């Protein structure tokens, strides 16, 4: 099958999922075309079945805002015709589902009936998409997609609650490629680079937006480090980073917290981590938690959105109400203070993560692609 994938190419959950899905589809013999404004960060092009087409938006003095949707729809039309793409899979509703639908309509004028699948990822529904300025366009593009998927049951419920949806929503959870995480040797981890032998390593990975509650990460760690020797690794970049750095300074824990910025070595960092913190305000799925879990890292998280569908309370970690940093720290210590308990949680975290293995999930998308052809 020739599949066009539209996604955000930057660090961020939806782009990562779209890229990993595209790579998996290519490995299963499909021809995959990524169409976006930059090469996705996790995309290596050394594969005959993977192609990348960059969307350019020329600057013009009249434009206060560059019309990316327009450039994207035009590029989609051109690429579909040039490469005989048979199906479009757009990730993140804004503006991809809207641009995809416009491309679909333009192609229809030329007698090409292209099925379009939209995958909803989270903030396109819960934060941004729900804004009155976007809502009519998001509702329209959800309802006009041939097939809609959401990455969790919780996101499906949110979509139905917040939008006037007339389309069915299929839940297909996010995934990880377990094969990638089996060959690692403990010696590859180079734990000693980051912490002393007696220190527990606690990690947070995100894009440091407000929704991630970065200062809660620092507050939880502050309580932990008062009881046991520990180090906090903060991986990512974003608007809340400075606030978090200031808080570390105020609490006098600056030396125990390392801000690593964006990293392409997240797996290496997770390999030597003892605990992962995800106290988000909302999270449609929590791919970062799943990536921690497949690396045998237990998760302390909030009990919001789709996180409970991934992190199982008392098994792979613990879940608390949003903002309850005191309880989160208490739960973290419960896991970290005893080696046997920690090892049990580590084992469980990996076992649960294995259920989300790519080999179980990609066929679900392939089935829907077949169904999409029957619908157009
Ligand atoms: O919030 C992010 O980290 C980025 C965002 C995105 O769309 O790029 O992530 C959302 O999609 C991810 C992949 O499906 C989910 O794992 C995240 O939970 C979700 N983020 C939120 O809902 C806040």
């Amino acid at each position: 099958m020739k599949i066009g994938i539209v996604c955000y190419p930057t660090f961020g959950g939806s782009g990562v999922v779209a890229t990993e899905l595209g790579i998996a589809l290519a490995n299963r013999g499909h021809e995959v075309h990524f169409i976006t404004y930059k090469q996705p960060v996790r995309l290596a092009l050394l594969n005959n079945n993977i192609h990348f087409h960059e969307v350019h938006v020329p600057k013009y003095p009249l434009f206060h805002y560059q019309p990316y949707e327009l450039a994207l729809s035009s590029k989609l039309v051109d690429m579909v015709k040039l490469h005989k793409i048979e199906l479009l899979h757009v990730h993140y509703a804004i503006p991809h589902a809207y641009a995809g639908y416009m491309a679909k309509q333009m192609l229809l004028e030329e007698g090409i009936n292209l099925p379009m699948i939209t995958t909803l990822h989270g903030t396109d529904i819960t934060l941004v998409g729900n804004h009155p300025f976007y809502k009519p366009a998001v509702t329209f593009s959800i309802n006009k997609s041939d097939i809609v998927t959401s990455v969790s049951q919780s996101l499906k419920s949110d979509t139905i609650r917040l939008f006037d949806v007339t389309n069915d929503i299929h839940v297909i959870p996010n995934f990880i490629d377990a094969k990638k995480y089996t060959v690692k040797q403990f010696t590859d981890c180079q734990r000693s680079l980051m912490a002393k032998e007696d220190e527990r390593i606690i990690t947070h990975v995100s894009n440091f937006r407000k929704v991630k509650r970065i200062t809660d990460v620092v507050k939880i760690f502050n309580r932990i480090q008062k009881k046991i020797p520990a180090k906090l690794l903060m991986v990512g970049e974003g608007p809340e980073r400075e606030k978090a750095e200031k808080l570390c300074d105020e609490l006098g824990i600056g030396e125990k917290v390392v801000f690593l910025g964006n990293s392409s070595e997240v797996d290496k960092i997770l390999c030597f981590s003892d605990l992962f913190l995800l106290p988000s305000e909302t999270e449609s799925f929590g791919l970062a938690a799943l990536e921690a879990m497949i690396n045998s890292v237990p998760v302390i998280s909030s009990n919001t959105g789709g996180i409970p569908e991934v992190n199982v309370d008392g098994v792979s970690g613990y879940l608390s109400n949003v903002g309850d940093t005191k309880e989160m720290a208490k739960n973290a210590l419960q896991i970290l203070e005893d080696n046997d308990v920690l090892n049990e949680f580590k084992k469980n975290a990996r076992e649960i993560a294995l259920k989300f293995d790519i080999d179980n999930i990609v066929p679900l998308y392939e089935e829907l692609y077949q169904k999409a052809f029957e619908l157009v």
Side-chain angles (χ1 to χ4, degrees):
M1 204 181 287
K2 293 185 177 192
I3 303 159
I5 292 188
V6 180
C7 65
Y8 282 104
T10 45
F11 288 88
S14 66
V16 169
V17 171
T19 308
E20 299 287 352
L21 174 63
I23 295 169
L25 289 165
N27 289 337
R28 293 165 77 94
H30 300 283
E31 186 178 304
V32 179
H33 295 260
F34 285 91
I35 303 150
T36 181
Y37 60 83
K38 213 173 90 187
Q39 183 174 324
V41 284
R42 289 208 190 172
L43 185 65
L45 285 173
L46 283 175
N47 184 324
N48 268 341
N49 283 341
I50 295 181
H51 307 265
F52 165 59
H53 312 289
E54 190 169 333
V55 180
H56 296 278
V57 192
K59 285 207 167 69
Y60 185 68
L62 191 66
F63 297 153
H64 182 63
Y65 303 106
Q66 307 302 317
Y68 178 67
E69 293 87 314
L70 215 64
L72 174 59
S73 328
S74 295
K75 187 80 182 183
L76 288 174
V77 169
D78 289 345
M79 292 306 103
V80 167
K81 287 190 332 199
L82 185 66
H83 297 284
K84 313 266 179 299
I85 292 171
E86 297 161 293
L87 176 140
L88 210 56
H89 188 171
V90 304
H91 291 260
Y92 207 88
I94 306 170
H96 299 150
Y98 193 75
Y101 178 70
M102 287 317 295
K104 192 177 151 72
Q105 288 308 107
M106 284 188 263
L107 287 161
L108 207 52
E109 294 284 314
E110 298 187 39
I112 302 170
N113 199 350
L114 184 81
M116 179 175 89
I117 285 133
T118 297
T119 291
L120 308 172
H121 278 274
T123 50
D124 47 350
I125 295 301
T126 52
L127 290 180
V128 196
N130 187 28
H131 192 285
F133 292 172
Y134 296 120
K135 203 167 177 170
V138 175
T139 310
F140 174 83
S141 26
I142 291 174
N143 288 337
K144 289 292 180 184
S145 302
D146 295 302
I147 288 192
V148 182
T149 76
S150 76
V151 299
S152 65
Q153 189 56 47
S154 151
L155 183 60
K156 175 178 175 170
S157 309
D158 284 341
T159 311
I160 292 168
R161 182 172 50 83
L162 298 167
F163 295 84
D164 194 4
V165 176
T166 53
N167 230 338
D168 247 13
I169 300 178
H170 303 260
V171 176
I172 301 189
N174 287 333
F175 51 84
I176 28 87
D177 188 351
K179 287 186 290 300
K180 280 193 197 165
Y181 306 92
T182 45
V183 286
K184 213 174 289 154
Q185 304 291 316
F186 183 71
T187 44
D188 290 343
C189 292
Q190 295 179 296
R191 189 184 206 280
S192 56
L193 286 178
M194 299 313 296
K196 294 184 205 123
E197 214 165 298
D198 66 332
E199 281 175 329
R200 295 293 198 204
I201 299 182
I202 295 152
T203 301
H204 171 79
V205 183
S206 78
N207 46 23
F208 286 51
R209 285 179 299 155
K210 218 176 165 116
V211 70
K212 304 291 175 182
R213 297 183 69 100
I214 304 300
T215 48
D216 279 7
V217 173
V218 175
K219 287 177 194 165
I220 299 163
F221 175 74
N222 184 39
R223 286 179 184 274
I224 297 171
Q225 62 82 38
K226 282 181 181 161
K227 301 275 182 196
I228 57 170
K231 203 75 183 256
L232 174 63
L233 305 184
M234 298 286 269
V235 185
E237 259 325 320
E240 295 290 293
R241 174 174 169 167
E242 209 180 307
K243 216 189 216 175
E245 282 182 294
K246 275 195 187 136
L247 181 60
C248 291
D249 202 38
E250 276 162 35
L251 294 169
I253 55 172
E255 286 198 354
K256 295 182 180 180
V257 185
V258 186
F259 286 83
L260 291 163
N262 281 333
S263 172
S264 48
E265 296 190 304
V266 171
D267 293 338
K268 222 173 190 180
I269 296 164
L270 290 171
C271 176
F272 52 58
S273 298
D274 296 304
L275 194 74
F276 190 83
L277 301 180
L278 191 68
S280 306
E281 182 78 36
T282 169
E283 202 71 66
S284 69
F285 182 86
L287 186 62
L290 182 60
E291 290 191 334
M293 286 160 61
I294 195 67
N295 280 289
S296 306
V297 184
V299 175
I300 293 293
S301 69
S302 41
N303 55 13
T304 181
I307 303 180
E309 294 171 48
V310 183
N311 184 22
V312 181
D313 194 41
V315 182
S316 55
Y318 285 108
L319 297 101
S320 305
N321 290 335
V322 173
D324 194 345
T325 53
K326 195 172 168 189
E327 188 185 282
M328 289 182 195
K330 191 175 131 243
N331 289 338
L333 287 163
Q334 166 93 8
I335 296 174
L336 293 172
E337 278 180 326
D338 184 305
N339 273 335
D340 291 341
V341 177
L342 176 60
N343 288 335
E344 184 63 21
F345 272 87
K346 274 177 170 286
K347 185 170 74 60
N348 295 344
R350 183 164 167 95
E351 248 168 53
I352 290 172
L354 284 172
K355 292 185 190 152
F356 297 88
D357 183 36
I358 199 162
D359 289 341
N360 300 332
I361 309 296
V362 176
L364 303 179
Y365 278 113
E366 287 177 314
E367 267 171 46
L368 281 187
Y369 293 166
Q370 286 303 340
K371 195 170 167 203
F373 284 117
E374 290 157 25
L375 290 174
V376 294

